Amino acid sequence: MSTVSGREVAVSGAGSAAERRPEAARGGGSAPGARAVSAPAALLRLLGSEIGLTFRRPRNIAMLAVLAVVPVLIGVALRAFGGPDDNDGGGPAIFTQVTGNGLFLTFAALSVLVQLMLPVAVAVVAGDSVAGEAGIGTLRYLLVAPAGRTRLLAVKYANAAVFCLAAVTVVALSALLAGLLLFPAGPITLLSGGTIPLFDGLLRIGLVVLYVAAGMAALAAVALALSTLTEVAVGAIASTVVLVIVTQVLGVIPQLSGLQPYLLTHWWSGFDGVLRDPIATGDMGQGLLVFAAYAVVFGSIAWARFTGKDVTS
Amino acid sequence: MSERTRRGRAMRWGVPVAAIAVVAGALGAGPVIAAVQGEPALPERTAEQLLADATKATRADVKPMSGTVIQTASLGLPGLPEVAGMGGTSPAALLAGSHELKVWYGGEGRVRLALPGRMSETDLIANGNQVWLWESDANKATRIKGADARQGAGPEKALPTAATPQLTAAEVLRRAQADTVVEVTNTERVADRPAYQLVLKPKDGASLIREVKLALDGETFVPLRVQVYARSAAEPAFEIGFTSVTFTPPAAENFTFTPPAGAKVEERTFGARDQESGAEHDRAEGLRETIKTVGEGWTSVAVLPFSEKDLKAGLSQGRGGGQSDGQGSGQGGGQGDGRGGQDANAIVDALLKSAKPVSGAWGNGRVVQTKLVSALLTDDGRLLVGAVTPEKLAEAAGRR
């Protein structure tokens, strides 16, 4: 009990840090009771506290708000100036289709945001998860709780994955609302020329959200691994973003096209398979396998580093 | 730090190393499994038996099937402009890189071919005499009249790729003549199925083609893959083949097409295009009659009366600029849309820039060489094209 109260003292004494971790401090305070509670329940409570923290941080809320605004901006721009077809710009055909069916705004917005804005948001949350705690000195107090380092890391990753899903869902819902308000809605014309009812279209949007969230969760594993390597959160976040940009540059160099199937970024926008008839499960399945491979490799690196490192701050 | 924690730390890092090894193993396992399974599972057949079986299979009705075809071209076109940026479904883009084509065949003239691009798709759906070309990029559905899928392979020719394995293989089989060394292996695996492989090697050293490999399914004798190897490279210069194939009847929905609401719907008669280009089409027909061939078999050279200006005009009209690879040039299906013409023009410009001036007893000209095809444009207005060395072209130019 003394260590726990020690943590409480340290946390409340740290000013901004106390503000940062009130929930965890409360969780820590009930730690002796948690021994009696079953392990999964304790784990869930830790996860709940992490998620609460993530979604209460002003920075994260601001990021989600920006993500929600972009689809609306795209929709308003398309509504005001017409699709790229009208001025013969020859842009991506997906934007042309938005003006005909509002549901396509979801696909258009996701295909734009998945390139950089969603990865940046995910990098901020996942890159901050361990390094941020180490940076403000709360990591060692977290480790005092009887959760164990492996479980703590699992909770951190689950938290990042939940944020990925939330961010993608926010984009999809905002785009869906904007699309339905600004443009006519109706049965969806697939890329293959077939038509499916509106409800089926919504189901397929759900599949896209899950696919993109899985892709983002793979990036979260990379960011988490980088986060365990440093005590400076900005370092982990920036190196993740740089990694994303470098990968994308590698992906567009025609001479290196052989590299593409191994690049994480190459698969992020691979969700167009749901718009085909029949759904191109092969390509998307391959994408999911790539995501899983990245998550396993970088997750294990994060684990090896985090469970073995000396936590001094 | 104690010895124990240090060892523990080293062992921990074994986990990510193992994870990387597992992923790398999974990546490499495909070919390894294929190699292990590649024991001769098929009875041995001679080339004649195999050719006969294959011919029989091409004549008889092909079983309903569906699958994914990958086409890869590395033709070594000099200074090819950035055609990849023009969209995955642009016909000219097929000249470089790797492209995927989905095939559904339902028997009785029911075919669907889909060329997926990123966020776009080009579909050709043939159901009896109902033939539709759907381009999602342009939101355009084109009904092609006068093409009946039941009369042979008409609609397949109309698709930009114009080359399913069946068609390409038929062309290769036709060429198998006395000037070819033919070998058969029975250990090949294509699209995870045991297959026979027919290897055709030209005897004439002047041919740029080293060998043509044709893989036939061990059970149905459906051609599964065609590879064309150039003398100058170890990797195939042109390859088209199934990466996955199933011989079960595909769902009937694949072969029905109704233009979606809001799409542009056009009608076009197969063969003769719209009236505007009718005159030019006649001119192209006239040109075709004036084409002479010099030599035979692998080293035959086509001689066309063409000047640079004609070449560009002809290409912008869309007469199969993408078919200069020597394979299936006889079934050249033009694309006839403006974009394809522009792409072709850009390619021709790049090719002409890279042309080397040559001269000989026959006069002066410029020669363009790729891995599989050389072309000689003489100053007296002839274009010589063939899958042969430039020396052979010059020799042909001397023979008037």
Side-chain angles (χ1 to χ4, degrees):
Chain A
M1 191 63 209
S2 65
T3 53
V4 170
S5 57
R7 181 190 180 195
E8 273 187 314
V9 169
V11 166
S12 54
S16 66
E19 198 181 9
R20 154 100 183 75
R21 295 216 64 93
E23 197 70 6
R26 230 180 296 144
S30 64
R35 281 180 197 280
V37 185
S38 66
L43 212 59
L44 273 180
R45 192 156 48 180
L46 188 56
L47 179 60
S49 112
E50 280 291 327
I51 290 174
L53 273 178
T54 303
F55 286 95
R56 270 203 296 274
R57 284 193 86 169
R59 181 180 72 186
N60 296 349
I61 295 172
M63 282 194 308
L64 288 178
V66 170
L67 284 174
V69 165
V70 173
V72 179
L73 282 181
I74 297 175
V76 170
L78 284 176
R79 178 71 196 251
F81 304 114
D85 198 23
D86 294 3
N87 40 32
D88 204 26
I94 189 87
F95 287 107
T96 327
Q97 276 162 312
V98 171
T99 47
N101 193 329
L103 257 62
F104 269 95
L105 187 59
T106 316
F107 298 106
L110 276 175
S111 65
V112 168
L113 288 173
V114 83
Q115 302 299 328
L116 195 61
M117 283 194 63
L118 275 170
V120 166
V122 169
V124 167
V125 170
D128 185 63
S129 55
V130 175
E133 301 267 5
I136 57 170
T138 47
L139 185 57
R140 57 178 149 167
Y141 302 113
L142 258 184
L143 291 176
V144 169
R149 291 193 180 189
T150 307
R151 285 187 191 172
L152 179 61
L153 194 70
V155 165
K156 289 282 184 192
Y157 184 62
N159 172 49
V162 167
F163 180 79
C164 293
L165 186 60
V168 179
T169 312
V170 161
V171 172
L173 285 180
S174 150
L176 202 58
L177 275 177
L180 292 179
L181 287 177
L182 292 168
F183 302 104
I188 288 192
T189 301
L190 297 172
L191 294 177
S192 309
T195 304
I196 54 168
L198 191 65
F199 182 70
D200 281 8
L202 291 175
L203 281 183
R204 292 197 186 203
I205 285 176
L207 285 180
V208 170
V209 167
L210 290 178
Y211 179 86
V212 175
M216 291 299 120
L219 179 72
V222 178
L224 189 66
L226 289 170
S227 185
T228 58
L229 296 176
T230 174
E231 294 187 358
V232 186
V234 176
I237 296 167
S239 40
T240 310
V241 173
V242 167
L243 211 61
V244 167
I245 292 171
V246 168
T247 315
Q248 270 166 347
V249 169
L250 289 180
V252 294
I253 299 175
Q255 282 76 13
L256 298 178
S257 59
L259 217 59
Q260 274 180 8
Y262 305 103
L263 300 178
L264 189 55
T265 50
H266 172 76
W267 296 99
W268 281 345
S269 47
F271 55 80
D272 51 359
V274 298
L275 286 174
R276 304 190 196 285
D277 186 25
I279 295 179
T281 46
D283 295 352
M284 290 180 66
Q286 223 174 335
L288 289 177
L289 281 179
V290 170
F291 299 155
Y294 267 86
V296 165
V297 167
F298 284 91
S300 64
I301 288 175
W303 177 81
R305 168 71 187 163
F306 187 63
T307 52
K309 89 171 179 178
D310 292 323
V311 176
T312 53
S313 54
Chain B
M1 190 190 298
S2 75
E3 183 65 26
R4 194 163 151 262
T5 54
R6 206 175 298 162
R7 206 187 311 142
R9 208 172 285 184
M11 275 170 67
R12 284 211 175 84
W13 282 100
V15 174
V17 170
I20 292 170
V22 166
V23 169
L27 279 176
V32 173
I33 291 169
V36 171
Q37 291 176 334
E39 300 295 313
L42 296 168
E44 285 198 16
R45 270 189 166 80
T46 64
E48 283 84 353
Q49 284 170 335
L50 186 61
L51 278 175
D53 283 334
T55 320
K56 210 190 298 166
T58 21
R59 286 211 187 119
D61 277 346
V62 180
K63 270 211 239 169
M65 59 189 275
S66 57
T68 306
V69 174
I70 299 274
Q71 180 245 25
T72 315
S74 139
L75 302 174
L77 292 173
L80 195 68
E82 181 49 54
V83 282
M86 298 186 183
T89 54
S90 160
L94 292 174
L95 277 178
S98 165
H99 298 275
E100 193 184 78
L101 179 71
K102 300 237 153 121
V103 179
W104 293 263
Y105 178 71
E108 293 157 3
R110 295 186 305 157
V111 182
R112 176 180 163 205
L113 302 172
L115 194 61
R118 188 129 272 190
M119 280 290 175
S120 71
E121 192 170 305
T122 305
D123 275 83
L124 187 98
I125 297 133
N127 193 350
N129 57 1
Q130 293 260 342
V131 182
W132 285 96
L133 180 67
W134 160 253
E135 291 156 283
S136 83
D137 253 357
N139 195 21
K140 192 172 85 177
T142 312
R143 170 134 194 225
I144 299 166
K145 284 198 157 180
D148 192 335
R150 282 172 295 202
Q151 303 167 350
E156 290 169 21
K157 286 179 189 170
L159 196 88
T161 53
T164 62
Q166 284 89 343
L167 279 175
T168 322
E171 176 72 13
V172 171
L173 284 175
R174 201 176 58 75
R175 287 194 182 200
Q177 289 165 355
D179 56 353
T180 311
V181 180
V182 182
E183 288 165 17
V184 175
T185 60
N186 58 348
T187 54
E188 206 58 35
R189 278 191 87 83
V190 181
D192 216 21
R193 290 176 69 88
Y196 289 103
Q197 181 149 281
L198 196 64
V199 184
L200 309 168
K201 291 181 188 164
K203 288 176 185 162
D204 194 333
S207 169
L208 288 178
I209 297 170
R210 179 155 51 98
E211 57 190 13
V212 175
K213 288 182 176 175
L214 169 64
L216 301 169
D217 185 59
E219 194 185 314
T220 60
F221 298 103
V222 169
L224 292 182
R225 187 179 66 196
V226 176
Q227 293 169 308
V228 181
Y229 288 80
R231 271 186 206 281
S232 53
E235 294 290 308
F238 178 84
E239 174 173 352
I240 181 166
F242 284 102
T243 53
S244 72
V245 63
T246 46
F247 287 91
T248 49
E253 295 90 71
N254 281 311
F255 308 111
T256 55
F257 181 82
T258 328
K264 280 174 280 196
V265 180
E266 289 182 5
E267 276 200 5
R268 209 190 266 171
T269 310
F270 186 67
R273 307 201 177 277
D274 44 320
Q275 286 189 328
E276 285 168 33
S277 68
E280 287 181 29
H281 186 254
D282 288 347
R283 199 176 54 107
E285 285 290 310
L287 278 175
R288 193 180 287 168
E289 281 163 25
T290 58
I291 295 175
K292 288 181 298 182
T293 51
V294 178
E296 276 185 349
W298 296 95
T299 55
S300 60
V301 173
V303 185
L304 300 80
F306 247 33
S307 70
E308 193 179 318
K309 228 172 84 189
D310 283 345
L311 183 65
K312 283 187 185 174
L315 280 169
S316 57
Q317 179 207 323
R319 280 306 315 167
Q323 295 292 338
S324 56
D325 52 67
Q327 281 304 305
S329 52
Q331 40 185 301
Q335 288 77 49
D337 65 37
R339 195 179 55 173
Q342 277 167 14
D343 290 356
N345 253 341
I347 291 168
V348 167
D349 277 339
L351 286 180
L352 287 175
K353 256 182 229 155
S354 72
K356 279 179 297 198
V358 285
S359 61
W362 44 269
N364 297 319
R366 283 173 296 168
V367 71
V368 179
Q369 191 180 356
T370 67
K371 277 188 200 165
L372 285 180
V373 185
S374 325
L376 172 64
L377 191 63
T378 64
D379 288 353
D380 57 359
R382 288 178 300 158
L383 175 71
L384 291 91
V385 184
V388 293
T389 54
E391 291 75 33
K392 188 87 180 173
L393 279 186
E395 187 195 317
R399 270 193 274 164
R400 284 183 179 251

